[in-house]
Coordinates of all heavy atoms in Angstrom, one line a residue:
Y1 N -53.7 -99.8 -15.1 CA -52.4 -99.9 -14.4 C -52.4 -100.9 -13.3 O -51.5 -101.7 -13.4 CB -52.0 -98.5 -13.7 CG -50.7 -98.4 -13.2 CD1 -49.6 -98.2 -14.0 CD2 -50.5 -98.7 -11.8 CE1 -48.3 -98.1 -13.4 CE2 -49.2 -98.6 -11.2 CZ -48.0 -98.4 -12.1 OH -46.8 -98.4 -11.6
P2 N -53.3 -101.0 -12.4 CA -53.3 -102.1 -11.4 C -53.6 -103.5 -12.0 O -53.2 -104.5 -11.5 CB -54.3 -101.7 -10.4 CG -55.3 -100.8 -11.1 CD -54.5 -100.1 -12.2
R3 N -54.3 -103.5 -13.1 CA -54.7 -104.8 -13.7 C -53.6 -105.5 -14.5 O -53.6 -106.7 -14.6 CB -55.9 -104.4 -14.7 CG -56.5 -105.5 -15.3 CD -57.7 -105.1 -16.1 NE -58.2 -106.1 -16.9 CZ -59.1 -106.0 -17.9 NH1 -59.6 -104.9 -18.2 NH2 -59.4 -107.1 -18.6
L4 N -52.6 -104.7 -15.0 CA -51.6 -105.2 -15.8 C -50.3 -105.2 -15.1 O -49.7 -104.2 -14.8 CB -51.5 -104.5 -17.2 CG -52.9 -104.4 -18.0 CD1 -52.7 -103.5 -19.2 CD2 -53.4 -105.8 -18.3
G5 N -49.7 -106.4 -14.8 CA -48.5 -106.6 -14.1 C -47.3 -106.0 -14.7 O -47.1 -106.0 -15.9
P6 N -46.4 -105.5 -14.0 CA -45.2 -104.8 -14.5 C -44.2 -105.7 -15.1 O -43.4 -105.3 -16.1 CB -44.5 -104.2 -13.3 CG -45.0 -105.0 -12.2 CD -46.4 -105.3 -12.5
E7 N -44.3 -107.1 -14.9 CA -43.3 -108.0 -15.5 C -43.7 -108.3 -16.9 O -42.8 -108.6 -17.7 CB -43.3 -109.3 -14.6 CG -44.6 -110.0 -14.6 CD -45.5 -109.5 -13.5 OE1 -45.1 -108.7 -12.5 OE2 -46.7 -109.6 -13.6
R8 N -44.9 -108.0 -17.2 CA -45.4 -108.3 -18.7 C -45.6 -106.9 -19.5 O -45.5 -106.9 -20.6 CB -46.5 -109.1 -18.7 CG -46.9 -109.5 -20.2 CD -47.8 -110.7 -20.3 NE -48.4 -110.8 -21.7 CZ -49.6 -110.9 -21.9 NH1 -50.5 -110.8 -21.1 NH2 -50.0 -110.9 -23.2
F9 N -46.1 -106.0 -18.7 CA -46.5 -104.7 -19.3 C -45.7 -103.5 -18.7 O -46.0 -103.0 -17.7 CB -48.0 -104.5 -19.0 CG -48.9 -105.4 -19.6 CD1 -49.4 -106.6 -18.8 CD2 -49.3 -105.4 -21.0 CE1 -50.1 -107.5 -19.5 CE2 -50.2 -106.4 -21.5 CZ -50.6 -107.4 -20.8
G10 N -44.7 -103.2 -19.6 CA -43.9 -102.0 -19.2 C -44.6 -100.7 -19.7 O -45.8 -100.8 -20.3
A11 N -44.0 -99.6 -19.5 CA -44.6 -98.3 -19.9 C -45.0 -98.3 -21.4 O -46.1 -97.8 -21.7 CB -43.8 -97.2 -19.5
G12 N -44.2 -98.8 -22.2 CA -44.4 -98.8 -23.7 C -45.6 -99.5 -24.0 O -46.5 -99.1 -24.7
E13 N -45.8 -100.8 -23.5 CA -47.0 -101.6 -23.7 C -48.2 -100.9 -23.2 O -49.2 -100.9 -23.8 CB -46.9 -103.0 -23.1 CG -45.7 -103.8 -23.9 CD -44.3 -103.6 -23.4 OE1 -44.1 -102.9 -22.4 OE2 -43.4 -103.9 -24.1
L14 N -48.2 -100.4 -22.0 CA -49.3 -99.8 -21.4 C -49.7 -98.5 -22.3 O -50.9 -98.3 -22.4 CB -48.9 -99.2 -19.9 CG -48.8 -100.3 -18.9 CD1 -48.4 -99.6 -17.6 CD2 -50.2 -101.0 -18.7
T15 N -48.7 -97.7 -22.8 CA -48.9 -96.6 -23.6 C -49.8 -97.1 -24.9 O -50.7 -96.4 -25.3 CB -47.8 -95.9 -23.9 OG1 -47.2 -95.3 -22.7 CG2 -48.1 -94.7 -24.8
K16 N -49.3 -98.2 -25.5 CA -49.9 -98.6 -26.7 C -51.3 -99.1 -26.5 O -52.2 -98.8 -27.3 CB -49.1 -99.7 -27.4 CG -47.8 -99.3 -28.0 CD -47.0 -100.5 -28.5 CE -45.7 -100.1 -29.0 NZ -44.8 -101.2 -29.4
I17 N -51.5 -99.8 -25.4 CA -52.9 -100.4 -25.1 C -53.9 -99.2 -24.8 O -55.0 -99.1 -25.3 CB -52.8 -101.3 -23.9 CG1 -52.1 -102.6 -24.3 CG2 -54.2 -101.7 -23.4 CD1 -51.7 -103.5 -23.2
R18 N -53.4 -98.2 -24.1 CA -54.2 -97.0 -23.7 C -54.6 -96.3 -24.9 O -55.6 -95.9 -25.2 CB -53.5 -96.2 -22.7 CG -54.5 -94.9 -22.4 CD -53.7 -93.8 -21.6 NE -52.6 -93.4 -22.2 CZ -51.5 -93.0 -21.6 NH1 -51.4 -92.9 -20.3 NH2 -50.4 -92.5 -22.3
A19 N -53.5 -96.0 -25.9 CA -53.7 -95.3 -27.0 C -54.8 -95.9 -28.0 O -55.7 -95.2 -28.5 CB -52.4 -95.1 -27.8
Q20 N -54.7 -97.2 -28.1 CA -55.7 -98.0 -28.9 C -57.1 -97.9 -28.2 O -58.0 -97.6 -28.9 CB -55.3 -99.5 -29.0 CG -56.1 -100.3 -29.8 CD -55.7 -101.6 -30.1 OE1 -54.5 -102.0 -29.8 NE2 -56.6 -102.5 -30.5
A21 N -57.1 -98.0 -26.9 CA -58.5 -98.0 -26.2 C -59.2 -96.7 -26.2 O -60.4 -96.5 -26.3 CB -58.3 -98.4 -24.7
V22 N -58.3 -95.5 -26.3 CA -59.0 -94.2 -26.4 C -58.9 -93.5 -27.7 O -59.0 -92.3 -27.9 CB -58.4 -93.3 -25.3 CG1 -58.6 -94.0 -23.9 CG2 -56.9 -93.0 -25.6
S23 N -58.6 -94.3 -28.8 CA -58.3 -93.7 -30.2 C -59.6 -93.2 -30.6 O -60.7 -93.3 -30.2 CB -57.8 -94.8 -31.0 OG -58.9 -95.8 -31.2
G24 N -59.5 -92.4 -31.8 CA -60.6 -91.9 -32.4 C -61.6 -92.9 -32.8 O -62.8 -92.8 -32.7
R25 N -61.1 -94.1 -33.3 CA -61.9 -95.2 -33.6 C -62.7 -95.7 -32.4 O -63.9 -96.0 -32.6 CB -61.1 -96.4 -34.3 CG -62.0 -97.5 -34.7 CD -61.2 -98.7 -35.3 NE -60.5 -98.1 -36.3 CZ -59.4 -98.8 -36.8 NH1 -58.9 -99.8 -36.2 NH2 -58.7 -98.3 -37.8
S26 N -62.1 -95.8 -31.3 CA -62.8 -96.2 -30.0 C -63.8 -95.2 -29.6 O -64.9 -95.6 -29.3 CB -61.8 -96.4 -29.0 OG -60.9 -97.6 -29.1
C27 N -63.4 -93.9 -29.6 CA -64.4 -92.8 -29.3 C -65.6 -92.9 -30.2 O -66.6 -92.7 -29.7 CB -63.7 -91.5 -29.4 SG -62.5 -91.2 -28.1
R28 N -65.3 -93.2 -31.6 CA -66.5 -93.2 -32.5 C -67.4 -94.3 -32.1 O -68.6 -94.2 -32.2 CB -65.9 -93.4 -33.9 CG -66.9 -93.9 -34.9 CD -67.4 -93.0 -35.8 NE -68.5 -93.1 -36.5 CZ -68.7 -92.8 -37.8 NH1 -67.6 -92.3 -38.4 NH2 -69.7 -92.9 -38.4
A29 N -66.8 -95.5 -31.7 CA -67.7 -96.6 -31.3 C -68.5 -96.3 -30.2 O -69.7 -96.7 -30.1 CB -66.8 -97.9 -31.0
V30 N -68.1 -95.6 -29.2 CA -68.8 -95.3 -28.0 C -69.8 -94.2 -28.4 O -71.0 -94.2 -28.0 CB -67.9 -94.7 -26.8 CG1 -68.7 -94.1 -25.7 CG2 -66.9 -95.8 -26.3
A31 N -69.5 -93.3 -29.2 CA -70.4 -92.3 -29.8 C -71.5 -93.0 -30.5 O -72.8 -92.5 -30.3 CB -69.7 -91.3 -30.8
D32 N -71.3 -94.0 -31.3 CA -72.4 -94.7 -32.0 C -73.3 -95.4 -31.0 O -74.6 -95.3 -31.1 CB -71.7 -95.8 -32.9 CG -71.0 -95.2 -34.1 OD1 -71.3 -94.0 -34.4 OD2 -70.3 -95.9 -34.8
R33 N -72.7 -96.0 -29.9 CA -73.6 -96.6 -29.0 C -74.4 -95.6 -28.2 O -75.6 -95.9 -27.7 CB -72.7 -97.5 -28.0 CG -72.0 -98.7 -28.6 CD -71.5 -99.7 -27.6 NE -70.5 -99.2 -26.8 CZ -69.2 -99.4 -27.1 NH1 -68.8 -99.8 -28.3 NH2 -68.3 -98.9 -26.3
L34 N -73.9 -94.4 -28.0 CA -74.6 -93.4 -27.3 C -75.6 -92.6 -28.2 O -76.3 -91.7 -27.7 CB -73.6 -92.4 -26.7 CG -73.2 -92.6 -25.3 CD1 -72.2 -91.6 -24.9 CD2 -74.4 -92.5 -24.3
G35 N -75.6 -92.8 -29.5 CA -76.4 -92.0 -30.4 C -76.0 -90.6 -30.6 O -76.9 -89.8 -30.7

């Protein structure tokens, strides 16, 4: 939120970025790194 300015990143864009960052695929990648 504080990193991405409101003039370029509205709620919709923030939601998409967050959804991708915390997706099942992302969680799997972290799980793989943690063993």
Side-chain angles (χ1 to χ4, degrees):
Y1 189 81
R3 185 175 169 191
L4 306 176
E7 57 283 335
R8 182 158 172 239
F9 296 95
E13 290 81 14
L14 289 171
T15 299
K16 287 177 186 176
I17 291 167
R18 180 190 58 209
Q20 184 177 339
V22 303
S23 69
R25 182 181 302 156
S26 294
C27 287
R28 162 111 197 215
V30 173
D32 288 344
R33 291 194 297 271
L34 265 176

